[in-house]
Amino acid sequence: MAIASHAVSKPALPAPESQVARVDTDEMAKLFTWIIQKTLVYSCALLSVAAAAISLGCRAPNADSAPPAAEVEVASVVQQDVPIYGEWVATLDGYVNAQIQPQVSGYLIKQSYKEGSYVRKGQVLFEIDPRPFQAILDQANAQLAQAQAQLGKTQLDVDRDTPLAKERAIAQSQLDNDIQANLAARASVKAAEAQVEQAQLNLDFTHVTSLVDGIAGIAQVQIGNLVNQTAALTSVSQVNPIKAYFPISEQEYMHYAARINAHNQQEVPSDAPPFDLILSDGSVYPHKGTLLLTDRQVDVTTGSIRLVCAFPNPNNILRPGQFGRVRAAGETRNGALLVPQRAVTELQGTYQVAVVGSDDKVGIRSVKPGERVGSMWIIENGVRVGETVVVEGLQKVRDGSLVKVKASSTPTKGS
């Protein structure tokens, strides 16, 4: 018997894992492709906008829209005779500085002056115990009296024996002895007188006096100290006038050497310029100073030589040891060209000025500057008298640029 075959339907089996993974990878790839396409679209759009902006920014301006001319302040180049001032650091010192020392040894018993006060020449400053010196003086007077008495005796012997020797009543040798004894007695009297004078001097030296008129310093000893000839009791400085010492370089000395040496025998050089003294507070001393002398040698350690000038000091305002600056016009530059200092710019050792021409165009020129005189600057070459230079607004101008000129209020004279 034939057996009928039936088709049995089998359940659907799940897809293999490899096929599922393939499907997920394709989907992800499509997603990434879509993101990249969108990003490229947006990037291109942004690049287009930036390119358009750059194109507009780089477009050459129209000739009709040229910037306006810069407004600057100017000043004229002036020509005049200018005194050239030099300035140096100075130290003040007394015209005479006397160190007060005793001439005899002894105990100090009195100070007779006020420290820091003005004292006169011959005024007693200190007193030393005079009793030992008074005793020596008394002894010297006694010895003088003894010598004078001996002289009187020998004179009597000579007077008595002279006629006797003529009458040959005594030997001539006795008269000769009397005469020699008399001469020896006279010498003894002179020696005794010298001893008295020396003793009197020593007694006077117990009063220590000032040697000059001036300001007395602080005492270096105290009452009761034993002092001798090497002890410094105090100092007295004559401060009217007062000296100012200042060094100048060897180059400056060589520049003025002919003038200095032409008048080195004069107490005050006739053609020396007056000196100003600038004090430590910036004020200018009201009295002018005069040059006194130049030192004999150049200091080998500093390469400078010292000059000395004197300033009147009627009120004793200036004191030894003060510092200041002395200033003098050593020479006069005739026909110097001057521009304001702010008109000159420096760049890597090169000095330049901006010159404005008659057509209001700027020309940048290199110049050679000289000395500064107040707010002005001497120009050796590079400009001519009457030309106009920019003093304000230099940062706004270039070589060949047009400017709008405004006169400067800065004075155009050297001071």
Side-chain angles (χ1 to χ4, degrees):
M1 182 171 64
I3 299 174
S5 60
H6 296 277
V8 181
S9 60
K10 297 181 179 180
L13 296 177
E17 293 181 358
S18 59
Q19 293 180 359
V20 174
R22 188 180 303 113
V23 172
D24 293 340
T25 301
D26 294 340
E27 293 295 330
M28 291 297 294
K30 293 179 180 180
L31 179 60
F32 286 145
T33 301
W34 182 81
I35 293 174
I36 291 172
Q37 291 175 349
K38 292 296 184 181
T39 302
L40 289 175
V41 171
Y42 288 128
S43 298
C44 291
L46 290 175
L47 289 174
S48 300
V49 173
I54 293 174
S55 176
L56 291 174
C58 296
R59 185 176 300 170
N62 194 351
D64 296 336
S65 60
E71 184 175 357
V72 295
E73 290 187 15
V74 297
S76 298
V77 179
V78 297
Q79 184 177 31
Q80 61 185 33
D81 297 340
V82 180
I84 304 301
Y85 284 89
E87 193 170 295
W88 306 273
V89 177
T91 304
L92 303 184
D93 200 5
Y95 201 86
V96 176
N97 296 308
Q99 190 174 30
I100 307 301
Q101 293 178 283
Q103 293 180 276
V104 294
S105 300
Y107 286 96
L108 201 65
I109 62 173
K110 186 177 181 181
Q111 177 178 325
S112 304
Y113 79 102
K114 181 181 178 181
E115 296 169 317
S117 64
Y118 186 83
V119 296
R120 295 287 184 181
K121 181 179 180 180
Q123 179 178 335
V124 177
L125 305 180
F126 298 93
E127 293 184 23
I128 297 173
D129 187 1
R131 291 176 297 175
F133 303 97
Q134 183 64 55
I136 294 174
L137 176 60
D138 294 341
Q139 184 180 5
N141 283 323
Q143 292 174 349
L144 174 60
Q146 186 177 1
Q148 289 172 340
Q150 183 64 26
L151 176 61
K153 178 183 178 300
T154 58
Q155 186 63 45
L156 290 175
D157 291 342
V158 170
D159 294 342
R160 182 184 63 247
D161 292 345
T162 298
L164 294 176
K166 288 182 179 180
E167 297 175 358
R168 298 182 183 274
I170 60 173
Q172 182 64 35
S173 60
Q174 182 176 350
L175 177 61
D176 293 341
N177 291 336
D178 292 341
I179 293 174
Q180 296 303 316
N182 180 257
L183 293 176
R186 290 180 184 277
S188 296
V189 169
K190 288 185 178 295
E193 289 175 346
Q195 291 294 330
V196 170
E197 185 177 359
Q198 181 62 55
Q200 184 64 54
L201 283 175
N202 289 338
L203 180 61
D204 294 339
F205 288 154
T206 60
H207 292 78
V208 183
T209 61
S210 175
L211 303 177
V212 295
D213 295 339
I215 304 296
I218 297 174
Q220 303 299 312
V221 292
Q222 301 295 324
I223 303 301
N225 287 9
L226 178 62
V227 297
N228 54 31
Q229 290 90 335
T230 62
L233 306 184
T234 188
S235 297
V236 178
S237 294
Q238 180 183 341
V239 295
N240 185 27
I242 194 168
K243 289 180 179 178
Y245 293 83
F246 61 95
I248 64 174
S249 67
E250 187 175 354
Q251 292 77 11
E252 289 176 305
Y253 168 73
M254 293 304 300
H255 184 73
Y256 299 112
R259 294 172 59 187
I260 291 174
N261 295 322
H263 305 281
N264 57 5
Q265 298 301 323
Q266 298 179 4
E267 183 176 356
V268 177
S270 58
D271 61 345
F275 285 81
D276 292 321
L277 177 61
I278 304 172
L279 303 177
S280 58
D281 60 357
S283 62
V284 179
Y285 188 62
H287 300 283
K288 300 287 187 180
T290 55
L291 182 66
L292 290 182
L293 58 95
T294 304
D295 201 356
R296 68 178 182 86
Q297 70 174 13
V298 175
D299 190 334
V300 296
T301 59
T302 62
S304 60
I305 186 170
R306 287 203 310 174
L307 273 67
V308 184
C309 59
F311 289 88
N313 190 23
N315 298 321
N316 298 331
I317 295 176
L318 305 179
R319 296 297 179 96
Q322 278 186 263
F323 285 92
R325 302 192 308 276
V326 293
R327 181 178 61 194
E331 60 178 320
T332 299
R333 184 73 62 83
N334 295 320
L337 298 178
L338 299 172
V339 300
Q341 290 186 24
R342 56 184 182 148
V344 183
T345 58
E346 181 185 4
L347 179 62
Q348 298 180 350
T350 302
Y351 296 88
Q352 297 178 333
V353 296
V355 181
V356 180
S358 58
D359 55 355
D360 291 341
K361 283 189 177 182
V362 173
I364 305 299
R365 294 187 195 172
S366 296
V367 295
K368 180 182 178 182
E371 293 86 356
R372 290 180 171 88
V373 183
S375 62
M376 309 295 285
W377 208 334
I378 295 177
I379 302 299
E380 302 289 351
N381 57 53
V383 294
R384 293 184 296 274
V385 62
E387 288 186 320
T388 303
V389 295
V390 177
V391 297
E392 188 68 33
L394 287 168
Q395 70 280 4
K396 299 184 292 185
V397 301
R398 298 291 183 270
D399 191 25
S401 62
L402 286 172
V403 293
K404 182 179 179 182
V405 173
K406 181 175 70 172
S408 172
S409 59
T410 304
T412 58
K413 291 185 179 180
S415 58

